[in-house]
């Protein structure tokens, strides 16, 4: 028993001696200047849910619905300097027996168009009817997006069977933005 304690003490002392001899190098605090972060920000952009009967007012079809939300995030210096790429995702689900065209126009602070795109949405035929589109803004197109302060959404109903105030179905838009930054 006595020999076991002595061996245990000797091993403990040897381990302490080994750990007391350590290596260290000078720290380079300038490495912080080499840090490059690439955060990704994901957010909703716009959403609407228009019922079929909202295209009828007083028994008369209204074939255009318009909205122009303000998108003034690019006036912030952080966004203009650090933004590297933006993906805008659009998804439209149509359960109305009519086709639609959705036009998006990106406007600058003087309400002048800087970019536009559109989606054609076929009429509902009893099966899932989802149309998606992704717009990628990088380099020159990103510069155009940075000038954007509003995006107009114009939903135009195309020719087809007439709608009434008792028509069923809806057209739903959901959209999102994925922004890629480079912070050095």
């Amino acid at each position: 028993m006595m020999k076991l304690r002595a061996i245990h003490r000797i091993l403990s002392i040897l381990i302490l001696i080994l750990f007391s001899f350590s290596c260290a190098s000078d720290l380079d605090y300038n490495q912080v200047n080499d840090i490059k972060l690439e955060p990704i920000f994901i957010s909703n952009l716009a959403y609407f849910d228009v019922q079929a009967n909202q295209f009828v007012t007083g028994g008369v079809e209204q074939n255009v619905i318009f909205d122009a939300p303000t998108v003034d995030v690019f006036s912030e210096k952080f966004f203009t300097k650090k933004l590297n790429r933006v993906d805008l995702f659009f998804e439209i689900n149509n359960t109305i027996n009519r086709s639609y065209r959705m036009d998006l126009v990106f406007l600058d602070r003087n309400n002048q168009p800087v970019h536009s795109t559109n989606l054609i949405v076929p009429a509902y035929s009893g099966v899932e009817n989802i149309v998606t589109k992704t717009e990628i803004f990088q380099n020159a197109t990103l510069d155009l997006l940075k000038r954007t302060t509003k995006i107009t959404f114009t939903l135009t109903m195309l020719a087809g069977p007439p709608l009434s105030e008792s028509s069923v179905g809806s057209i739903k838009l959901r959209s999102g933005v994925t922004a890629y930054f480079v912070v050095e």
Side-chain angles (χ1 to χ4, degrees), residues 12-27:
S12 297
I13 290 171
L14 285 174
I15 290 173
L16 284 173
I17 290 172
L18 285 174
F19 282 122
S20 64
F21 295 105
S22 62
C23 298
S25 63
D26 294 332
L27 296 176

Side-chain angles (χ1 to χ4, degrees), residues 41 45 70-88 106-107 109 114 137 141-151 177-181:
F41 177 76
L45 178 64
T70 300
V71 186
D72 199 14
V73 297
F74 300 113
S75 63
E76 297 292 327
K77 190 174 185 177
F78 176 80
F79 284 98
T80 58
K81 297 290 184 192
K82 308 294 184 191
L83 194 59
N84 187 43
R85 174 181 161 177
V86 173
D87 297 350
L88 298 181
F106 298 72
L107 303 172
R109 69 181 76 252
V114 294
F137 295 87
T141 57
L142 182 60
D143 292 336
L144 294 175
L145 183 65
K146 287 178 180 179
R147 293 177 31 209
T148 300
T149 59
K150 289 182 196 171
I151 300 175
V177 59
T178 303
Y180 301 84
F181 295 90

Side-chain angles (χ1 to χ4, degrees), residues 24-162:
S25 63
D26 294 332
L27 296 176
D28 182 6
Y29 292 105
N30 289 325
Q31 289 178 348
V32 76
N33 296 329
D34 298 333
I35 290 177
K36 180 179 179 181
L37 303 174
E38 296 183 19
I40 298 172
F41 177 76
I42 300 171
S43 178
N44 292 326
L45 178 64
Y47 174 84
F48 64 70
D49 183 358
V50 181
Q51 300 299 309
N53 60 9
Q54 290 179 271
F55 286 97
V56 180
T57 304
V60 178
E61 282 187 355
Q62 308 298 314
N63 65 348
V64 175
I65 293 182
F66 175 83
D67 191 20
T70 300
V71 186
D72 199 14
V73 297
F74 300 113
S75 63
E76 297 292 327
K77 190 174 185 177
F78 176 80
F79 284 98
T80 58
K81 297 290 184 192
K82 308 294 184 191
L83 194 59
N84 187 43
R85 174 181 161 177
V86 173
D87 297 350
L88 298 181
F89 173 77
F90 302 95
E91 177 184 279
I92 297 179
N93 185 3
N94 183 14
T95 59
I96 303 172
N97 190 22
R98 289 290 285 271
S99 298
Y100 291 87
R101 176 184 168 117
M102 187 178 77
D103 294 298
L104 295 105
V105 179
F106 298 72
L107 303 172
D108 67 12
R109 69 181 76 252
N110 298 316
N111 288 323
Q112 296 300 308
V114 294
H115 180 77
S116 65
T117 189
N118 65 62
L119 289 95
I120 301 297
V121 184
Y124 180 67
S125 62
V127 296
E128 187 172 69
N129 189 19
I130 295 177
V131 175
T132 62
K133 183 171 190 171
T134 301
E135 287 277 317
I136 298 173
F137 295 87
Q138 213 169 5
N139 302 321
T141 57
L142 182 60
D143 292 336
L144 294 175
L145 183 65
K146 287 178 180 179
R147 293 177 31 209
T148 300
T149 59
K150 289 182 196 171
I151 300 175
T152 65
F153 291 82
T154 305
L155 188 60
T156 305
M157 186 169 53
L158 303 176

